Amino acid sequence: MESTLVNKWLNQYENRQPVFNHLVLFLVAISFALSDWLYGAFTFTELILGLSLSILFLAGKYRIHVHQLKWVLAPIIIILVHSLYLYNVYDDFNLRISVIALIKLLFYVLAVTGLYNFIKVQKLKEEFMIWNNLVALIILALGVYIALAVYMETNFEQGLPYEFLLRFTRLDGHLYRRDIPIVRMKSIFQEPAHLGYYLNSILMINLLNKKQLKMKKWINSLLITGVILTLSYSSVFIMLSILALWLIVNFNHFKGKLKWTPSAFVSLGLVLIVVFFFRELIYTTLVQRTIDIITGVETSGYERLIVSWRYINKETFLSGYGFLQSPGMLWNIFAYVFTELGLIVFFLYVLSIGYLMNYNIPIALVFILMNFAKGGYLSSGYWFLILLVIIYSARNFEPFHVTNRKGEHREK
């Protein structure tokens, strides 16, 4: 009886496979756009990813291949051994927090690996990119609406309803500073920088992938415009870095072949119009802030790059404080890895990024910059970035390549 029900379900899946495929892709794309939404102890990303993986399990499409086990188990085993060692060495080591963090890490590793295999085997790279861009455009539209509502409320004490869109995240965080009531776009994220992080992740794969997959110029222009409107210093810097890397990679292609098509004019014009109308805000939040950072008036850059390493000392240099045991808030992934996991794991992490450079140097460089943009290696946005990197970094990202039953390499 059970076997018959399973067969019927699998037959239903095969008959409606395109619909199921797009449902999973949509769920994955929207889940990471809701990474700052909390429901109890879980983010919406974790809840929706759980639903997506359940669909893959029921459809018999969740796979982890034998040759991938070393990549799946390696971080889990390393951190498990590391945590057990510190538990036996330090009396104040919180084993409960470390176990919860380890379970969460296992969930994300299994999710990323399973989704990677699903997208590769079903050849859904282009469809996944399209869904991510469609969701990003929706998030941008919501961002413009919320920013307008906050602006009207701030300046005219009346505005459009928007609180319901931020029910599961924070209502504040729109303004540049309390004494300078400039409204920054953060859409449904907690902070403008988080929106910028999300948009930059998608812009990165649009412009720097090696799959010959391209998005419309106007879509990239909207993503760039969205990053600018966050007025987030780190986000705009990373966006400009992505554009610079894209120009370098395509220099030979553009050399002597640059054509100003109508779409190119419209795309460039859109960005220039936004820059023109918001030039004073851009100057205050980006140009003036650059001057403040250089002169030492603004210390956020110093805190992100220097102060984040403050907990590293000779006692914790090799072993760290333990997984998710940092004494305080840090502002970049590198500092988190070194502070909590010690020198050896930090070296392995840097080595893995160096390995990525064999496949796609521009994406590896952007990944490094993104590591400084936001802390928290158990955050949903960080694992979304990893998923995009391993899918779009090269035609064949060898550590995660997929083989058929005969052991032959499948097309990427």
Side-chain angles (χ1 to χ4, degrees):
M1 179 66 178
E2 183 179 353
S3 177
T4 302
L5 290 175
V6 171
N7 289 334
K8 286 183 178 180
W9 166 256
L10 293 178
N11 288 334
Q12 288 294 322
Y13 175 83
E14 295 300 332
N15 293 334
R16 296 177 173 82
Q17 182 171 329
V19 175
F20 276 96
N21 288 349
H22 282 284
L23 173 62
V24 172
L25 295 180
F26 167 73
L27 288 174
V28 175
I30 195 67
S31 69
F32 286 105
L34 301 176
S35 60
D36 282 351
W37 284 28
L38 292 174
Y39 186 79
F42 301 96
T43 66
F44 271 62
T45 299
E46 292 158 356
L47 296 173
I48 299 175
L49 278 183
L51 175 61
S52 304
L53 296 179
S54 299
I55 294 174
L56 293 183
F57 271 115
L58 292 173
K61 298 299 178 182
Y62 183 89
R63 295 282 190 274
I64 294 181
H65 302 274
V66 175
H67 66 271
Q68 294 175 324
L69 288 178
K70 60 180 179 292
W71 301 103
V72 173
L73 296 177
I76 307 300
I77 293 175
I78 290 173
I79 294 178
L80 176 61
V81 172
H82 179 265
S83 298
L84 291 175
Y85 166 76
L86 292 183
Y87 175 68
N88 288 299
V89 171
Y90 298 113
D91 294 334
D92 57 348
F93 182 82
N94 193 323
L95 184 62
R96 179 177 175 274
I97 290 178
S98 187
V99 169
I100 293 173
L102 195 61
I103 293 173
K104 191 171 183 178
L105 173 66
L106 178 62
F107 170 77
Y108 276 118
V109 170
L110 292 177
V112 167
T113 307
L115 290 171
Y116 171 87
N117 288 336
F118 170 70
I119 292 170
K120 286 289 189 177
V121 171
Q122 301 297 327
K123 299 181 180 179
L124 298 171
K125 300 184 294 291
E126 184 173 6
E127 289 82 355
F128 187 49
M129 178 182 284
I130 292 171
W131 272 114
N132 277 306
N133 280 273
L134 286 175
V135 171
L137 294 180
I138 295 173
I139 298 302
L140 280 176
L142 291 175
V144 171
Y145 171 81
I146 294 172
L148 179 61
V150 172
Y151 177 81
M152 293 178 64
E153 182 182 73
T154 303
N155 292 276
F156 304 104
E157 298 184 353
Q158 60 181 353
L160 303 168
Y162 68 92
E163 293 87 352
F164 67 97
L165 292 171
L166 302 174
R167 176 184 174 185
F168 298 100
T169 183
R170 53 186 285 192
L171 284 170
D172 62 342
H174 303 278
L175 301 181
Y176 172 57
R177 280 193 341 222
R178 291 181 180 179
D179 58 327
I180 306 178
I182 296 174
V183 179
R184 307 162 69 198
M185 189 168 74
K186 76 181 186 76
S187 191
I188 57 176
F189 288 83
Q190 284 191 354
E191 300 178 10
H194 292 190
L195 172 62
Y197 187 99
Y198 168 74
L199 296 177
N200 276 327
S201 298
I202 297 173
L203 183 66
M204 175 193 71
I205 64 168
N206 285 357
L207 298 181
L208 302 178
N209 75 85
K210 286 190 175 181
K211 310 291 185 184
Q212 285 74 51
L213 301 177
K214 297 181 179 179
M215 295 304 299
K216 298 291 186 181
K217 294 183 180 65
W218 64 270
I219 294 179
N220 290 325
S221 297
L222 287 175
L223 294 178
I224 293 169
T225 303
V227 174
I228 293 174
L229 291 177
T230 66
L231 300 176
S232 165
Y233 190 84
S234 60
S235 298
V236 172
F237 175 78
I238 292 174
M239 180 268 291
L240 292 175
S241 300
I242 292 173
L243 293 178
L245 289 168
W246 175 72
L247 289 172
I248 293 171
V249 169
N250 293 278
F251 178 77
N252 290 331
H253 174 74
F254 290 136
K255 192 176 180 180
K257 300 179 182 178
L258 186 61
K259 295 181 180 180
W260 288 101
T261 62
S263 62
F265 272 115
V266 171
S267 301
L268 180 61
L270 173 64
V271 176
L272 292 178
I273 288 172
V274 170
V275 172
F276 176 78
F277 279 102
F278 294 93
R279 61 189 183 277
E280 292 184 5
L281 304 185
I282 293 172
Y283 176 82
T284 300
T285 57
L286 300 177
V287 179
Q288 184 60 48
R289 190 175 180 187
T290 300
I291 297 173
D292 290 343
I293 290 174
I294 294 174
T295 57
V297 175
E298 169 66 64
T299 61
S300 63
Y302 176 79
E303 291 175 350
R304 185 180 302 274
L305 298 176
I306 306 299
V307 178
S308 289
W309 307 84
R310 65 189 182 278
Y311 296 115
I312 299 172
N313 53 57
K314 62 181 180 179
E315 287 80 16
T316 63
F317 188 77
L318 289 176
S319 63
Y321 286 89
F323 196 42
L324 222 64
Q325 309 280 323
S326 176
M329 180 68 70
L330 306 177
W331 290 274
N332 73 71
I333 299 294
F334 289 114
Y336 261 113
V337 174
F338 206 147
T339 301
E340 296 188 350
L341 303 176
L343 175 64
I344 297 175
V345 178
F346 175 78
F347 175 75
L348 293 175
Y349 184 68
V350 173
L351 196 64
S352 66
I353 297 177
Y355 191 77
L356 173 62
M357 289 189 174
N358 290 326
Y359 295 91
N360 193 314
I361 293 177
I363 281 185
L365 293 175
V366 174
F367 184 72
I368 291 172
L369 292 177
M370 299 282 268
N371 272 249
F372 286 103
K374 189 172 71 168
Y377 43 48
L378 287 180
S379 67
S380 305
Y382 174 69
W383 287 95
F384 176 55
L385 179 63
I386 289 178
L387 177 62
L388 296 180
V389 165
I390 66 174
I391 291 175
Y392 296 103
S393 61
R395 293 186 183 89
N396 170 24
F397 196 55
E398 188 174 322
F400 299 92
H401 74 274
V402 181
T403 56
N404 58 27
R405 293 181 180 178
K406 296 180 180 180
E408 298 169 343
H409 177 67
R410 292 181 65 101
E411 185 275 333
K412 298 300 169 240

